[in-house]
Amino acid sequence: LVTIDVTGEQSAVRRRARLSDLRLTDQASGAASAEVVSGTALAAGVGNQDAATHRGLAPSRSQNPPPRSPAQQVLVDALIAARFLTTDRQDDTPIVSLAHEALLRRWDELAQWITSNREHLRLRARVEHSQHRWASQGQHASLLLPSGLPLEEGQVLLREARPLLLAETTDYIERSLTHRQAESRRQRLIRTTALTMSLTAALIAILAALWINTERNAALDAKNAEAKAKDEALASAKKTQVEKDRADAKADEARRH
């Protein structure tokens, strides 16, 4: 049994509503204990920048309604019938609002739900702000969640608070993850290609330097060999000349005697 007493509020809403008055079917009553709190909070967009409304939970059909069970549908219909929630349309999109903001303060279970989900609701509001900008500007890839803290916050929501997200918000986060992963792979490929090219260029430079050094050494060795040959030829010619001079001297001496 859930009782919401708003009689102490300065407002036009002066009634005492009980969940047992919602005339829930057996099918819906099983979902009521937890769903009535979270469903009301999500329907009213609690935690959103526009906390008065939230898309997709009105009983009328929307273009892409979020999935829900028959019991949840009956529960939402009953909440609206009991005037916990009110419905309207905005730009042909069904929206639903809290019947009165007093529910946020006087319904203990709802207040506890908000407190326990406060951080996730803040993260959701930031992600939805980015999502709305992305959707309104042609879903450009540059407006997906960037790497770093924004993308990490989206991952936290998917991992810890997926039931708080609308289908389009979940899709936005998942698209962001896929895009950033692809971008990361492209960056790794670019870095790998650049590194491979740098290593190849360095190897070519080393091989060229070795070839040049080999050719230089070969030329130097040839020059040294040529110089050595010349020196040996000069030494041989000098020796021959000395021997000839000695032979001539001996011949002269023999003629004198």
Side-chain angles (χ1 to χ4, degrees), residues 55 58-63 86-96:
R55 299 176 186 273
S60 56
R61 296 180 180 178
S62 57
Q63 184 176 359
T86 61
T87 60
D88 199 353
R89 298 188 72 85
Q90 180 177 312
D91 298 329
D92 293 327
T93 301
I95 61 173
V96 69

Side-chain angles (χ1 to χ4, degrees), residues 206-217:
I206 291 172
L207 292 175
L210 289 174
W211 180 81
I212 292 172
N213 188 61
T214 300
E215 290 297 311
R216 184 184 294 115
N217 289 338

Side-chain angles (χ1 to χ4, degrees), residues 24-196:
L24 297 175
T25 65
D26 291 339
Q27 185 184 34
S29 61
S33 57
E35 296 288 351
V36 72
V37 176
S38 61
T40 302
L42 292 174
V46 174
N48 285 0
Q49 289 182 328
D50 179 8
T53 61
H54 193 68
R55 299 176 186 273
L57 284 173
S60 56
R61 296 180 180 178
S62 57
Q63 184 176 359
N64 293 296
R68 55 179 175 264
S69 67
Q72 290 173 325
Q73 179 64 65
V74 172
L75 176 59
V76 171
D77 292 345
L79 287 170
I80 293 170
R83 295 187 297 167
F84 280 72
L85 305 173
T86 61
T87 60
D88 199 353
R89 298 188 72 85
Q90 180 177 312
D91 298 329
D92 293 327
T93 301
I95 61 173
V96 69
S97 308
L98 282 175
H100 196 272
E101 291 184 5
L103 290 171
L104 295 174
R105 296 184 294 273
R106 308 290 287 188
W107 188 349
D108 293 339
E109 290 85 352
L110 182 58
Q112 291 171 4
W113 185 92
I114 294 171
T115 300
S116 63
N117 288 278
R118 189 177 304 279
E119 184 57 31
H120 288 145
L121 292 172
R122 287 174 179 168
L123 296 183
R124 186 186 70 178
R126 287 199 287 269
V127 170
E128 286 185 343
H129 176 77
S130 298
Q131 175 213 334
H132 294 157
R133 184 184 177 201
W134 169 76
S136 66
Q137 297 189 26
Q139 300 185 350
H140 196 278
S142 64
L143 296 177
L144 291 169
L145 292 174
S147 300
L149 184 59
L151 194 61
E152 290 174 5
E153 290 178 344
Q155 289 177 295
V156 168
L157 287 173
L158 289 182
R159 185 172 59 252
E160 301 176 4
R162 188 179 285 263
L164 298 182
L165 305 176
L166 289 177
E168 53 264 34
T169 306
T170 300
D171 177 66
Y172 174 69
I173 297 173
E174 291 176 341
R175 285 193 186 203
S176 299
L177 285 169
T178 301
H179 179 74
R180 299 309 169 197
Q181 289 167 355
E183 188 178 63
S184 179
R185 287 193 295 270
R186 284 195 299 272
Q187 291 299 322
R188 285 198 300 270
L189 179 60
I190 290 172
R191 288 194 296 270
T192 301
T193 302
L195 179 60
T196 301

Side-chain angles (χ1 to χ4, degrees), residues 210-249:
L210 289 174
W211 180 81
I212 292 172
N213 188 61
T214 300
E215 290 297 311
R216 184 184 294 115
N217 289 338
L220 182 60
D221 289 343
K223 184 177 181 181
N224 291 336
E226 182 181 358
K228 183 179 179 180
K230 286 182 179 180
D231 290 341
E232 290 176 348
L234 288 173
S236 178
K238 184 177 180 180
K239 182 179 180 181
T240 300
Q241 184 64 41
V242 168
E243 291 176 350
K244 182 176 181 301
D245 291 343
R246 286 177 182 176
D248 290 343

Side-chain angles (χ1 to χ4, degrees), residues 248-257:
D248 290 343
K250 287 181 180 181
D252 290 342
E253 185 176 355
R255 282 194 298 269
R256 284 197 297 271
H257 292 291

